[in-house]
Amino acid sequence: MRFSSALLPAVLGVLSLGPSPASAEDGAKLYEANCAKYHGRDGRANTPVGKALKAHALNDPKFAKIEAATVIQVSRENPNHKALKDKLTDAELTAIAGHIRELAGGSAAPK
């Protein structure tokens, strides 16, 4: 069976896509499952655990443009996030960053 040379770029393009990034909806679900206990469903950190750990209120407008790289770094380096360190992938943390931007009144789309 011969492939047309015109099809080769299309086939290679599909093969190089890899896994798709997590969506904004995934970010909300991931946040709910991994962050809401501490930062609250609404991002206000008004939970018993959040108060005890002095968690940041993620609904603060300063988080409206937070970059995924910052969320990834904090999740990997902050001792209060040690449970997440090896649990969530960079793609999942990127999706969570989008949800944090929405909680703070920004857009889920990266800046």
Side-chain angles (χ1 to χ4, degrees):
M1 175 182 217
R2 289 185 53 173
F3 285 103
S4 164
S5 60
L7 289 176
L8 186 58
V11 171
L12 291 175
V14 170
L15 293 175
S16 67
L17 289 177
S20 63
S23 69
E25 182 179 321
D26 293 335
K29 289 177 184 176
L30 289 163
Y31 177 90
E32 180 68 31
N34 297 284
C35 312
K37 179 178 179 179
Y38 309 95
H39 296 282
R41 294 182 82 193
D42 59 3
R44 296 176 190 252
N46 194 20
T47 67
V49 179
K51 289 177 184 178
L53 293 175
K54 297 183 176 145
H56 290 284
L58 300 178
N59 67 331
D60 187 311
K62 71 181 179 185
F63 293 110
K65 294 184 180 180
I66 194 166
E67 294 183 15
T70 301
V71 173
I72 292 167
Q73 180 180 3
V74 168
S75 298
R76 303 279 187 248
E77 296 176 2
N78 184 322
N80 287 340
H81 292 102
K82 64 184 174 190
L84 300 179
K85 186 174 182 180
D86 298 320
K87 181 178 180 184
L88 298 172
T89 67
D90 287 358
E92 290 169 325
L93 290 167
T94 297
I96 289 171
H99 186 65
I100 292 170
R101 287 190 294 271
E102 287 182 327
L103 288 173
S107 168
K111 299 293 176 205

